[in-house]
Amino acid sequence: DAKTTQPPSMDCAEGRAANLPCNHSTISGNEYVYWYRQIHSQGPQYIIHGLKNNETNEMASLIITEDRKSSTLILPHATLRDTAVYYCIVRVFTSGTYKYIFGTGTRLKVLA
Amino acid sequence: EPEVTQTPSHQVTQMGQEVILRCVPISNHLYFYWYRQILGQKVEFLVSFYNNEISEKSEIFDDQFSVERPDGSNFTLKIRSTKLEDSAMYFCASSFTGGAIFSNQPQHFGDGTRLSIL
């Protein structure tokens, strides 16, 4: 099972910030949080990842709470092209490698 | 920016036939993966591959499935005798790191092959 929980859907007005929450209450101290999105049936697109400090790149910002049990992905000025399913992932380490266990994600709809 | 490429984008095959899905991972990446997504369902892990051998495989990855890195650039998924329930999107991914406990480089995914079994 996925180690994260996310709301199934959210709406956001175009031009406004989209704040997508994720709970990962069982995360351990050295596990990263990864965010991806999937537009239609395209391949999951990497957005950002972090351990405990807030992170920002050209696509988004990631805010991780101090206890690391939850995080928020922020798209600062959402556009119609940001409509997608967003996945928050904590990797699972078994048999010497990491793998992703995807949940159902949050379906973000950006409204004109 | 380098990307993972997959071919073909759509494959239609008769049930019982063999199919090979092809992937070209990012060139300096060392870890390779296959995932699948049945229409309307979650993305599911199939297999991870490192140093020319399978690192882990899921319950889905039974004896009908195999993976290979036949040369320095391609990574393939073969389904020996396809079944109707193999119809899905198949995604290849690669990452530079993936085995060390403190490695954190993300996996990068291709746009997938839609496999339709008739």
Side-chain angles (χ1 to χ4, degrees), chain A residues 83-98:
Chain A
T83 293
V85 178
Y86 287 76
Y87 299 101
C88 167
I89 298 170
V90 174
R91 299 179 301 181
V92 174
F93 185 82
T94 55
S95 303
T97 59
Y98 284 103

Side-chain angles (χ1 to χ4, degrees), chain A residues 29-32 34 51 91 93 98, chain B residues 97 99-105:
Chain A
N30 58 4
E31 290 177 339
Y32 285 75
Y34 295 79
L51 181 62
R91 299 179 301 181
F93 185 82
Y98 284 103
Chain B
T97 58
I101 197 74
F102 292 108
S103 71
N104 68 78
Q105 294 304 302

Side-chain angles (χ1 to χ4, degrees), chain A residues 9-26:
Chain A
S9 64
M10 292 181 66
D11 291 342
C12 177
E14 189 178 21
R16 304 298 294 269
N19 295 280
L20 295 108
C22 178
N23 286 321
H24 30 80
S25 57
T26 61

Side-chain angles (χ1 to χ4, degrees), chain B residues 91-110:
Chain B
F91 297 110
C92 173
S94 68
S95 62
F96 180 65
T97 58
I101 197 74
F102 292 108
S103 71
N104 68 78
Q105 294 304 302
Q107 296 179 22
H108 293 271
F109 288 77

Side-chain angles (χ1 to χ4, degrees), chain A residues 2 4 7 14 17-18 20 25 30 36 38-39 41 43 46 48 57 63 67 74 78 87 89 91 93 96 107 110:
Chain A
T4 62
E14 189 178 21
L20 295 108
S25 57
N30 58 4
Y36 286 77
Q38 189 175 26
I39 298 172
S41 292
Y46 166 73
I48 199 167
N57 63 18
I63 309 296
D67 63 9
I74 301 172
Y87 299 101
I89 298 170
R91 299 179 301 181
F93 185 82
R107 186 172 296 277
V110 180

